[in-house]
Amino acid sequence: MCFRFNNRFVCLFFLRRSMADPLVARCLYSGKGYMIPLNQCMDYSELYEDIFGTFQFFPTDNVELQYSVPGCEVCFLRNDRDFQMLFCSARIHRLECVDISVLKIRGGCRRNCSVDSGSEVIDEDDYLGDAFRTEVHKTYLSDEWSSYIHNVGDKFHGAAELREKLRKYAIAVGFEFVFLRNDLDRIYAVCANVGTEGCDWHLCAFSSSANGCLYITELNNTHTCKGVVRTQKHKLLGSKVVKTCIAADVSFNLSLKPREIMSKFKSTYGFDISYKVALKAKHRAKEAIYGSDAETFSKLSWYKEAVLQSNPGSSFVLEVEPSTNRFQRLFIAYGGCVEGFQFCLPVLYVDGTFGKSIYKGQILSATGRNGNQGFYPLAICFCDSETDANWTFFFKHLKSLLEPQGRVVTFISDRGVGLLSAFDKVFGGNPHLFCYKHLVANLASKYRGKGNSKLIEDVKQKFFKVAYSSTQKEYCFNLRLLRAVGGADIIDPFLSELPVENWCRAFYTSCRYGIMANGIAESFNSWIAIERLMPVYCMLDQTRIKQMEMAGKRREEAERWTTELTPKMEERLKVQMEKSRRFSVHYSSPGVYEVRSDFSYVVNISDHACSCVKWQINCFPCPHGLATLQAASENVYNYIDKYFHVDMFKKSYSFPIHPITNVDMSSTDSASECILPPLAKRPPGRPRVKRFKSVGEVEKKLICCGHCGKMGTHNKLSCTEPLVQQ
Ligand SMILES: [Zn+2]
Ligand SMILES: [Zn+2]
Ligand SMILES: [Zn+2]
């Protein structure tokens, strides 16, 4: 015979169970239980009626029976077939006793009054309109809590399990208790009304020295107090209980909001919890999954070894305070990424973003750009804040990776705090572009309080024009307009701080792929939005997994590409080709042409240059260039930057990030180099979500803070300096 059991087909040879084999069912309902012997001569309806009668249900009540066996938490017991399966399961698992949970699905009265079988019970809800009917159809996940505590002899795997189940039981049944003894090996709890009303409910449990499990040795499960009614709020319903209910949800979705937890808890468990409880429960669940923030620092030295061993060529620098062995900062770049970066565009976006664990943390990142306009994470640094020292540390190690590759890399940044001076120290000669979006925000802040929003909007537009100027002449022309609108008294000092080659396209000395903003860095930051919430070790580990998977996926994707260029660039070529159709091309000398429509342009195809300068700036032929290439019967693809070709893209992902196993983590003896968490904790209160302002975005009068004593733009109340524990 074959049955579908536990989603597997199990074939059984049916032997009639001899009557000598005892199978006992323990039926549990609302904290009460009774034993009933089962044999296969019985049928389902006999069992059902027995239970129905014993627990004194009303005829209108609908009762559902469930049992659990190892591997299957909830097995329904609804008909004769299920009943036979119960015997099979018991035989398979060699069980002598099976727990049957009794759940009431429908029914009004919860009082334990005896049923007068002669008189019909009238449920007034049957005659009421929809709006007036009390809806009790819903079953909550908390319904089974009332079956957690039932008999003397119940076994619990440790005090923690008993405490949790006792809390849930009390919540479900609706009373409060206090612990008189609450030790690992002994628990004694009494009803909270023992003093006021002399209620005699009590529970006593001892641990067995044989297996360490706790057994209930004494239980008086009847209350003589009045306080036994289930309410939607309960004192015992704290973050500890809620944590166990939401742990699975949190592990799927780390960014779950406390409000969402509250409403979810209400709908699935039928209880109200406060915002504070939801928030705390989320932290507890996070800690249960990932370990506490403090603990994860101790895993870092193991992780370093694991990364260096499994991913040759990686750079993993871990700095601790030598005297205290407390964590200071770390730098990490995987070998596969470093190798592959040589085949990406020679540009790097550098930016800092917040870590959101309880330790004050900043994640500095260097992100490249692949041939298909996607981002390419190269290196990250975890440190306490965006200081000159931390940026210098980051740039120094970044430089040691880039130097052997021998390419001049262009950097793009938002001129963040500490970044500028560190950059000049380490990467002095490298081109450095400022994100024009940040510049324009800085400029706009100068007009705050002076003039209306229309003026600011006008200044912004004029500034865009200046930044996007392609020639020096255009730059001078646009700058005149900007000064006329914005006023020379503000514009001139602002621009005097900015070297023009760092932000205006006309002055880019070498090819910089037309980059104007550090959008790539921001897409990287939002890509790790979830990982930023995690403690440091998990953040690194999860980011690595994400990087590993993304690289693998892109490698496979590229295998299917049949074009010469990557899809995004192929698309761009198509658009530019379409635009090139309106030009007429006139030959001058080898490689040099004049291209005409409304205006005329000089194109030099051997220099990859056009007098519109778009070809030089974007490293991609402009429509004039494309028109010329076609007229000269040249292969267009030979004139397109090598990094946009599919073969380069494939090479950039041909060095995989290797997986890491942690089976040996617990057996590694690294107590001697155990790293302690940093002293600086994030200050209390809601973590700030907004990023720090870049240089010049804020300009307030300096005041002395009464908390940290530093001169700054904050006072005692808004101080965010880390609290140093003594
Ligand atoms: Zn009581
Ligand atoms: Zn052109
Ligand atoms: Zn302060």
Side-chain angles (χ1 to χ4, degrees):
M1 271 179 116
C2 287
F3 284 98
R4 194 171 165 79
F5 172 70
N6 197 12
N7 285 334
R8 273 170 301 196
F9 283 97
V10 181
C11 291
L12 298 169
F13 298 97
F14 243 100
L15 293 171
R16 200 179 160 78
R17 197 186 174 87
S18 75
M19 295 305 281
D21 285 349
L23 181 59
V24 176
R26 191 158 54 177
C27 308
L28 311 164
Y29 172 69
S30 186
K32 299 183 198 71
Y34 82 105
M35 312 292 255
I36 171 172
L38 296 183
N39 63 61
Q40 278 183 307
C41 305
M42 282 170 78
D43 57 17
Y44 171 74
S45 56
E46 273 177 67
L47 173 70
Y48 186 87
E49 270 155 30
D50 195 329
I51 290 172
F52 205 86
T54 310
F55 286 119
Q56 299 176 323
F57 286 110
F58 286 102
T60 50
D61 286 340
N62 215 334
V63 170
E64 169 135 322
L65 306 182
Q66 294 173 357
Y67 66 98
S68 67
V69 288
C72 181
E73 282 294 319
V74 178
C75 302
F76 293 117
L77 191 50
R78 285 174 176 161
N79 49 38
D80 280 333
R81 207 187 64 109
D82 291 342
F83 189 57
Q84 291 303 325
M85 281 312 299
L86 171 70
F87 281 94
C88 296
S89 313
R91 263 192 62 224
I92 292 166
H93 298 288
R94 300 217 169 81
L95 300 174
E96 283 163 2
C97 179
V98 177
D99 282 349
I100 296 178
S101 333
V102 182
L103 301 172
K104 191 162 79 169
I105 305 178
R106 196 173 303 164
C109 182
R110 277 197 157 268
R111 274 177 298 127
N112 279 349
C113 46
S114 61
V115 188
D116 183 355
S117 53
S119 70
E120 206 184 327
V121 177
I122 295 168
D123 188 346
E124 62 172 8
D125 278 350
D126 289 348
Y127 304 101
L128 293 173
D130 278 346
F132 299 98
R133 197 175 297 150
T134 330
E135 221 198 311
V136 284
H137 293 235
K138 201 165 165 68
T139 53
Y140 293 109
L141 286 175
S142 55
D143 288 351
E144 63 162 21
W145 291 357
S146 56
S147 63
Y148 278 168
I149 305 286
H150 26 80
N151 272 313
V152 168
D154 286 346
K155 184 172 110 177
F156 300 90
H157 301 275
E161 188 192 332
L162 175 56
R163 283 182 207 130
E164 181 198 322
K165 290 204 162 166
L166 186 56
R167 273 194 201 102
K168 287 182 175 174
Y169 172 74
I171 291 161
V173 175
F175 69 98
E176 283 168 33
F177 64 85
V178 285
F179 287 116
L180 294 187
R181 285 297 290 267
N182 186 8
D183 304 322
L184 283 178
D185 58 343
R186 180 179 168 189
I187 283 178
Y188 186 43
V190 294
C191 177
N193 293 332
V194 65
T196 51
E197 296 177 48
C199 179
D200 195 31
W201 181 93
H202 66 271
L203 174 146
C204 199
F206 279 97
S207 84
S208 140
S209 53
N211 55 8
C213 291
L214 260 77
Y215 290 89
I216 297 182
T217 51
E218 228 185 291
L219 176 68
N220 176 3
N221 216 357
T222 40
H223 287 271
T224 50
C225 63
K226 284 178 290 193
V228 186
V229 63
R230 172 151 49 173
T231 51
Q232 288 182 15
K233 284 186 181 172
H234 199 286
K235 258 193 190 165
L236 292 169
L237 195 57
S239 55
K240 280 182 195 162
V241 171
V242 177
K243 176 200 94 180
T244 62
C245 307
I246 62 164
D249 293 318
V250 172
S251 72
F252 279 124
N253 178 9
L254 205 58
S255 58
L256 200 66
K257 302 258 184 317
R259 295 250 172 247
E260 291 164 359
I261 292 175
M262 285 163 73
S263 63
K264 210 167 171 180
F265 201 78
K266 175 79 177 164
S267 64
T268 50
Y269 287 90
F271 289 108
D272 289 316
I273 51 172
S274 69
Y275 183 90
K276 221 169 149 184
V277 166
L279 182 70
K280 241 179 156 176
K282 188 188 147 184
H283 284 308
R284 280 180 191 275
K286 209 175 107 180
E287 219 172 274
I289 300 164
Y290 298 107
S292 77
D293 284 277
E295 274 165 25
T296 65
F297 283 96
S298 61
K299 293 183 185 163
L300 288 177
S301 47
W302 171 85
Y303 193 62
K304 178 183 171 178
E305 290 307 312
V307 167
L308 292 179
Q309 215 169 60
S310 57
N311 284 274
S314 299
S315 173
F316 196 125
V317 185
L318 192 55
E319 275 197 10
V320 293
E321 275 171 47
S323 53
T324 55
N325 220 24
R326 286 193 182 278
F327 175 84
Q328 242 178 344
R329 54 199 162 196
L330 68 80
F331 173 91
I332 185 167
Y334 298 101
C337 298
V338 177
E339 282 293 310
F341 179 67
Q342 301 176 73
F343 304 98
C344 290
L345 273 60
V347 295
L348 269 182
Y349 298 77
V350 287
D351 195 19
T353 184
F354 293 99
K356 292 180 185 166
S357 69
I358 64 163
Y359 291 97
K360 198 165 177 278
Q362 200 79 17
I363 300 164
L364 313 181
S365 61
T367 312
R369 187 171 176 174
N370 66 32
N372 196 32
Q373 309 282 46
F375 62 90
Y376 190 93
L378 176 65
I380 55 174
C381 166
F382 186 80
C383 56
D384 58 354
S385 54
E386 281 194 56
T387 58
D388 176 85
N390 285 334
W391 275 113
T392 308
F393 165 82
F394 180 57
F395 284 145
K396 237 176 57 203
H397 292 288
L398 194 58
K399 192 175 184 181
S400 68
L401 296 178
L402 296 177
E403 240 169 11
Q405 301 187 350
R407 296 195 301 170
V408 176
V409 175
T410 301
F411 288 83
I412 301 97
S413 81
D414 60 356
R415 297 175 79 225
V417 187
L419 184 148
L420 269 184
S421 53
F423 185 88
D424 288 339
K425 259 185 276 175
V426 182
F427 283 114
N430 283 57
H432 183 189
L433 307 185
F434 300 151
C435 169
Y436 80 99
K437 283 186 185 163
H438 283 87
L439 292 183
V440 94
N442 293 352
L443 181 60
S445 70
K446 311 250 178 213
Y447 290 92
R448 210 151 287 148
K450 300 178 193 174
N452 51 33
S453 57
K454 196 175 163 293
L455 171 73
I456 293 176
E457 207 42 53
D458 209 14
V459 169
K460 278 184 178 176
Q461 289 309 319
K462 294 283 186 298
F463 185 82
F464 287 155
K465 282 242 167 78
V466 179
Y468 269 101
S469 303
S470 299
T471 60
Q472 296 204 19
K473 248 190 188 160
E474 205 184 339
Y475 166 77
C476 294
F477 177 76
N478 285 326
L479 184 60
R480 260 204 308 280
L481 293 181
L482 176 65
R483 288 177 66 181
V485 173
D489 55 324
I490 293 178
I491 298 294
D492 286 350
F494 177 74
L495 292 186
S496 67
E497 289 175 16
L498 301 173
V500 72
E501 66 272 15
N502 289 6
W503 61 279
C504 174
R505 301 217 302 180
F507 297 88
Y508 290 0
T509 45
S510 59
C511 164
R512 292 174 197 182
Y513 299 93
I515 292 158
M516 296 296 287
N518 63 348
I520 289 269
E522 269 147 33
S523 35
F524 175 76
N525 290 346
S526 54
W527 187 63
I528 58 164
I530 299 292
E531 286 70 22
R532 283 159 63 189
L533 304 169
M534 298 178 182
V536 56
Y537 161 72
C538 307
M539 187 267 291
L540 295 176
D541 201 39
Q542 292 296 318
T543 312
R544 177 185 57 83
I545 287 178
K546 251 185 155 166
Q547 270 178 269
M548 183 173 84
E549 282 187 324
M550 184 176 72
K553 230 166 73 193
R554 287 186 172 166
R555 191 181 314 122
E556 290 214 325
E557 220 176 279
E559 286 306 318
R560 292 195 296 272
W561 293 346
T562 52
T563 49
E564 178 69 33
L565 303 182
T566 60
K568 288 257 171 72
M569 301 319 286
E570 197 74 43
E571 188 58 42
R572 184 156 162 192
L573 179 65
K574 222 184 264 170
V575 173
Q576 302 281 62
M577 282 293 231
E578 196 54 40
K579 285 185 189 164
S580 74
R581 288 170 61 182
R582 51 196 289 258
F583 297 104
S584 61
V585 180
H586 307 277
Y587 176 71
S588 157
S589 57
V592 181
Y593 297 80
E594 184 170 330
V595 180
R596 299 183 69 96
S597 70
D598 302 341
F599 299 96
S600 67
Y601 305 87
V602 177
V603 173
N604 185 332
I605 55 172
S606 31
D607 289 353
H608 294 211
C610 170
S611 58
C612 79
V613 299
K614 285 201 183 103
W615 194 347
Q616 296 92 306
I617 287 172
N618 295 327
C619 304
F620 197 89
C622 58
H624 325 114
L626 288 173
T628 314
L629 289 171
Q630 288 172 87
S633 318
E634 290 282 347
N635 182 352
V636 172
Y637 291 114
N638 293 343
Y639 289 84
I640 292 175
D641 197 275
K642 60 178 178 179
Y643 296 114
F644 297 137
H645 287 255
V646 168
D647 58 327
M648 281 304 246
F649 184 91
K650 280 182 182 166
K651 275 184 197 160
S652 69
Y653 286 105
S654 59
F655 309 93
I657 300 175
H658 300 288
I660 291 176
T661 170
N662 67 359
V663 287
D664 65 334
M665 189 202 271
S666 51
S667 55
T668 309
D669 181 34
S670 57
S672 55
E673 42 185 330
C674 179
I675 295 172
L676 299 171
L679 279 175
K681 277 205 179 173
R682 210 181 54 202
R686 220 182 126 110
R688 54 179 295 166
V689 183
K690 291 208 181 100
R691 49 182 303 283
F692 280 113
K693 297 281 196 301
S694 313
V695 174
E697 263 179 73
V698 273
E699 261 178 29
K700 288 185 193 161
K701 221 176 103 193
L702 293 183
I703 50 170
C704 181
C705 168
H707 179 250
C708 64
K710 286 182 186 163
M711 291 299 287
T713 52
H714 67 276
N715 62 16
K716 199 166 146 187
L717 289 176
S718 57
C719 182
T720 55
E721 279 296 309
L723 301 172
V724 175
Q725 302 161 332
Q726 294 306 322

